[in-house]
Amino acid sequence: MAGTTERNTTDESISLPRKSSWKYIGPGIVVAATGVGAGDLVATLIAGSNFGYTLLWAAVIGCVVKISLAEAAGRWHLSTGRTLFDGWASLGRWTTWFFVVYVVVWGFVYGAAAMSSSGLPLQALFPDVMGLKWWAMLTGVIGLVFVWFNKYDVFEKVMTVLVGVMFVVTVYLAIRVTPNLGDAFAGLLPVLPDEKDSILNTLGLIGGVGGTITLAAYGYWVNAKGWTNTGWMKVMRLDNRVAYLTTGIFVVAMLFVGAEMLHSADVAIASGDKGLIQLSDILEAEYGGATAKLFLVGFFATSFTSLIGVWHGVSLMFADFVERYRRDRAVGAEDTELSGEAVAAGKRERSVPFRAYLLWLTFPPMILLFQGQPFRLVIIYGVLGAAFMPFLALTLVWLLNSGRTPSQWRNGILSNAMLVVAGLLFLVLCIKQIADQPWAEFF
């Protein structure tokens, strides 16, 4: 079986450049929907509540940083014909160990958080039907069944519909609160608030806008869409820009809401998903029950897209890891290799490892819904989560400046600068998060 890199360089008929066109976009919508979760909306609301429009520029920069990361992941997949995990594995065995520990621990804790976040708005909309834990488990099972029985094309269409709901709700709220456009434009100037730890708070907002491991999953969704060679490079780049333009609209809209409804009235909300329930109560008092219910529908769309996006995208990555592990152990096991075309045909979505990780995301985390999150596990989860983004940024710099990437698709000065800035940003945030963990209690 010919390698995918040889296929890209020898078969010109399938590498002819496609014109960048809006009709092709799709993976970008998926990564935007998955990356913007309830936590991002709360963080942006709190930034607006605490600082008004002052940090609007930081939210915008956050989107630009993520564009560079997702573009790099997509460029690796299209230019080499290899997956991102293949690239990581080529850097040494340490990357495999990091990924395995990360994806197992992260999936266990994240599964509970995602189900709880998706169940919370449903419980608020239908308080007399059942409790939060049961709503949470129901959303997890629905996500499992949906991803289990549908291939990428259906998954993308459903995500697009839910993004439409998110878009309508967030833009409606931003318009309803009547933003001060003069102050908003002033917020595009890079100014730091006059408060303690303002630099770290600003870096946290930049780093937290729209994406974690889902940025790494972007290349897998690009392949699942059927984009498997450099002929799709222009299309991928347009798609990626659309992704973070969409993300930018979401976070700017919520910052407007925080600045106008919370900052001007000096109202504080809790961090985490419960802050959005508080916002729902404030909206009901200010604009009536219909607006509050519309917001809860948007809250559910935001949380559930993150749930099914992770259920699909990270399961693809885990399946790729298992395939790589089997290839490394087998001698001459050429038939176990799945190329980009196989991914697009849905073979990886029907594989045992894909479905096994789906089950891991759904059922074991339900224990945490009833027992609470174990203290030590939460600390490990926080450390691994903080370490993943600098790992992603710096390994992409390594891969895309090496001979592993065809020379014409290696990083230029701008790409290197953006990825290095992203890596350093996330490294600072990683060190801060590790330092903030209560290690004395851990031991």
Side-chain angles (χ1 to χ4, degrees):
M1 177 176 164
T4 51
T5 303
E6 180 182 350
R7 168 181 53 77
N8 278 339
T9 57
T10 60
D11 191 351
E12 296 181 0
S13 64
I14 63 171
S15 296
L16 294 175
R18 271 74 173 180
K19 291 182 180 179
S20 56
S21 172
W22 292 88
K23 70 179 182 181
Y24 291 125
I25 63 171
I29 296 296
V30 171
V31 78
T34 306
V36 178
D40 295 288
L41 297 188
V42 173
T44 313
L45 272 171
I46 291 176
S49 172
N50 292 339
F51 308 117
Y53 293 103
T54 304
L55 291 181
L56 180 59
W57 64 273
V60 173
I61 288 179
C63 293
V64 174
V65 167
K66 302 298 173 49
I67 285 175
S68 66
L69 285 165
E71 188 275 340
R75 177 155 44 93
W76 166 263
H77 276 249
L78 294 182
S79 65
T80 66
R82 301 168 66 190
T83 66
L84 188 53
F85 188 81
D86 266 329
W88 286 338
S90 73
L91 300 179
R93 194 173 294 274
W94 66 274
T95 60
T96 299
W97 284 110
F98 174 80
F99 177 79
V100 171
V101 175
Y102 173 80
V103 83
V104 171
V105 175
W106 180 88
F108 183 59
V109 180
Y110 179 82
M115 288 187 279
S116 180
S117 180
S118 297
L120 199 59
L122 293 176
Q123 200 268 335
L125 284 166
F126 309 104
D128 300 325
V129 176
M130 55 184 170
L132 174 59
K133 293 181 178 66
W134 300 102
W135 278 118
M137 289 190 292
L138 179 62
T139 60
V141 171
I142 290 173
L144 167 72
V145 171
F146 171 71
V147 174
W148 188 291
F149 290 105
N150 289 290
K151 293 185 179 181
Y152 175 80
D153 289 345
V154 175
F155 166 71
E156 182 189 289
K157 288 182 174 64
V158 170
M159 291 288 272
T160 301
V161 171
L162 291 174
V163 165
V165 173
M166 294 166 59
F167 186 89
V168 169
V169 171
T170 54
V171 172
Y172 167 76
L173 289 178
I175 294 172
R176 190 71 191 266
V177 299
T178 317
N180 186 321
L181 296 182
D183 288 348
F185 281 115
L188 293 174
L189 296 175
V191 176
L192 291 173
D194 295 326
E195 306 214 3
K196 183 182 178 182
D197 295 331
S198 62
I199 293 178
L200 288 174
N201 288 332
T202 303
L203 292 178
L205 180 61
I206 293 172
V209 176
T212 51
I213 194 172
T214 55
L215 289 167
Y218 179 63
Y220 291 83
W221 285 322
V222 163
N223 285 159
K225 180 75 170 175
W227 306 348
T228 58
N229 56 70
T230 55
W232 292 99
M233 198 70 75
K234 287 184 179 180
V235 174
M236 181 276 292
R237 284 170 168 164
L238 173 65
D239 178 75
N240 183 40
R241 293 183 188 111
V242 170
Y244 283 95
L245 175 62
T246 305
T247 300
I249 291 172
F250 291 149
V251 298
V252 167
M254 294 310 291
L255 191 138
F256 281 7
V257 173
E260 292 297 337
M261 288 201 66
L262 306 178
H263 181 70
S264 59
D266 197 23
V267 174
I269 62 171
S271 60
D273 299 338
K274 291 183 179 176
L276 294 182
I277 297 297
Q278 285 181 268
L279 179 61
S280 170
D281 295 336
I282 295 169
L283 287 169
E284 183 170 10
E286 187 74 20
Y287 300 114
T291 297
K293 285 181 170 54
L294 179 65
F295 170 72
L296 289 172
V297 170
F299 177 6
F300 171 74
T302 301
S303 297
F304 193 64
T305 51
S306 293
L307 186 151
I308 60 176
V310 166
W311 264 226
H312 189 274
V314 184
S315 296
L316 283 176
M317 296 181 70
F318 182 77
D320 183 33
F321 153 70
V322 174
E323 290 156 18
R324 173 81 191 195
Y325 177 76
R326 287 173 176 170
R327 292 201 301 271
D328 288 347
R329 288 180 60 89
V331 177
E334 194 174 35
D335 59 337
T336 65
E337 183 175 350
L338 287 181
S339 66
E341 289 90 350
V343 176
K347 291 184 180 179
R348 189 169 285 148
E349 294 169 295
R350 294 290 181 264
S351 68
V352 172
F354 179 90
R355 288 177 165 174
Y357 193 73
L358 268 178
L359 295 171
W360 174 253
L361 283 167
T362 307
F363 292 109
M366 289 181 182
I367 299 170
L368 301 183
L369 295 175
F370 287 92
Q371 296 186 351
Q373 297 182 354
F375 178 71
R376 287 181 176 83
L377 185 63
V378 171
I379 290 181
I380 295 170
Y381 166 81
V383 170
L384 289 172
F388 183 81
M389 290 302 281
F391 167 79
L392 174 62
L394 297 175
T395 53
L396 283 171
V397 171
W398 190 346
L399 290 170
L400 292 168
N401 285 287
S402 71
R404 299 172 181 85
T405 304
S407 58
Q408 66 269 37
W409 300 112
R410 291 176 197 163
N411 278 355
I413 295 175
L414 180 60
S415 295
N416 274 326
M418 292 300 298
L419 289 175
V420 168
V421 167
L424 293 175
L425 163 68
F426 291 119
L427 188 60
V428 169
L429 294 174
C430 174
I431 293 170
K432 179 182 184 297
Q433 186 156 341
I434 291 172
D436 288 346
Q437 299 294 337
W439 293 106
E441 297 177 39
F442 182 87
F443 299 104

